[in-house]
């Protein structure tokens, strides 16, 4: 049976909503644990706020399309993310790995919104496409920030570790 593009669009918007729930949980956990990397912590906190707004915008798109907002999917994603965050906290180089994990996550989001923009355009949903483009720009900005600031974080991490002061967070 064929799936029309509008159904596919709804499905991807619901997946994106769950992804943002996961992102919020992961980043909140990470930011709250960081003590010695204020620039990283600040940028993550900023992106947590953006992420909350993204989830609300996705819910708005789904309502506009007459589709449901997947609360159960979001709850499962949050649970998985909390487990991931707890696992990451065990690592001795938590902050260094965290930058990489965040960078990877932002790129999953970038790919998600690029696909959503195409699907929304094909479905004739210009407003949904514009919303997804705006979110895409925020994900790209976060990925760019992580790329540009990774060297400073890693330098600081190695310096702290070598000086035998708390380095991991
Ligand atoms: Mg996001
Ligand atoms: Fe993001």
């Amino acid at each position: 049976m064929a799936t029309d593009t509008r159904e596919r669009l709804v499905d991807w918007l619901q997946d994106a909503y769950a992804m943002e729930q996961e992102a919020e949980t992961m980043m909140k956990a990470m930011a709250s644990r960081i003590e010695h990397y204020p620039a990283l912590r600040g940028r993550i906190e900023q992106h947590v706020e953006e992420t909350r707004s993204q989830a609300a915008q996705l819910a708005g798109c789904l309502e506009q399309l007459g589709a449901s907002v997947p609360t159960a999917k979001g709850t499962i994603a949050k649970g998985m993310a909390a487990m991931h965050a707890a696992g990451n906290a065990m690592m001795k180089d938590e902050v260094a790995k965290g930058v990489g994990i965040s960078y990877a996550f932002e790129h999953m989001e970038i790919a998600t919104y690029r696909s959503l923009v195409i699907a929304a355009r094909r479905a004739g949903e210009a407003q949904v496409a514009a919303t997804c483009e705006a979110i895409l720009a925020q994900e790209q900005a976060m990925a760019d920030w992580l790329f540009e600031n990774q060297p400073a974080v890693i330098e600081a991490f190695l310096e702290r570790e070598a000086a035998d002061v708390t380095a991991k967070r």
Side-chain angles (χ1 to χ4, degrees), residues 20 23 27 47 50-51 54 102 105-106 109 113 135 138-140 142:
E20 296 303 352
M27 284 188 296
H47 200 53
E50 289 169 347
T51 298
Q54 291 169 1
S102 301
F105 198 96
E106 293 309 322
E109 294 187 293
Y113 289 108
I135 295 176
Q138 291 181 324
E139 311 298 18
Q140 188 68 64
M142 183 62 183

Side-chain angles (χ1 to χ4, degrees), residues 155-167:
E155 293 283 359
F157 169 77
L158 293 173
E159 204 177 301
R160 294 187 68 85
E161 194 172 56
D164 205 23
V165 291
T166 308

Side-chain angles (χ1 to χ4, degrees), residues 9 12 110-123 125 128-136:
L9 175 62
W12 281 352
I110 287 166
T112 296
Y113 289 108
R114 291 187 77 198
S115 297
L116 268 167
V117 168
I118 295 167
R121 284 200 193 123
R122 282 187 67 103
E125 296 291 342
V128 174
T131 298
C132 291
E133 271 180 327
I135 295 176
L136 172 60

Side-chain angles (χ1 to χ4, degrees), residues 137-151:
Q138 291 181 324
E139 311 298 18
Q140 188 68 64
M142 183 62 183
D144 291 348
W145 190 95
L146 289 165
F147 185 82
E148 281 156 22
N149 289 270
Q150 181 184 6

Side-chain angles (χ1 to χ4, degrees), residues 35-142:
E35 294 166 19
H36 300 293
Y37 305 86
L40 178 63
R41 182 179 172 135
R43 187 62 179 90
I44 293 172
E45 283 170 347
Q46 180 194 329
H47 200 53
V48 168
E49 291 310 311
E50 289 169 347
T51 298
R52 283 209 191 99
S53 159
Q54 291 169 1
Q57 290 175 71
L58 291 167
C61 289
L62 285 163
E63 277 157 25
Q64 198 180 308
L65 296 171
S68 62
V69 178
T71 49
K73 240 183 194 176
T75 306
I76 292 166
K78 274 185 179 173
M80 304 258 291
M83 275 168 54
H84 278 153
N88 294 345
M90 311 279 283
M91 296 185 292
K92 284 193 174 122
D93 57 348
E94 179 184 1
V95 74
K97 290 289 200 303
V99 169
I101 291 164
S102 301
Y103 188 68
F105 198 96
E106 293 309 322
H107 283 83
M108 184 176 71
E109 294 187 293
I110 287 166
T112 296
Y113 289 108
R114 291 187 77 198
S115 297
L116 268 167
V117 168
I118 295 167
R121 284 200 193 123
R122 282 187 67 103
E125 296 291 342
Q127 211 179 331
V128 174
T131 298
C132 291
E133 271 180 327
I135 295 176
L136 172 60
Q138 291 181 324
E139 311 298 18
Q140 188 68 64
M142 183 62 183

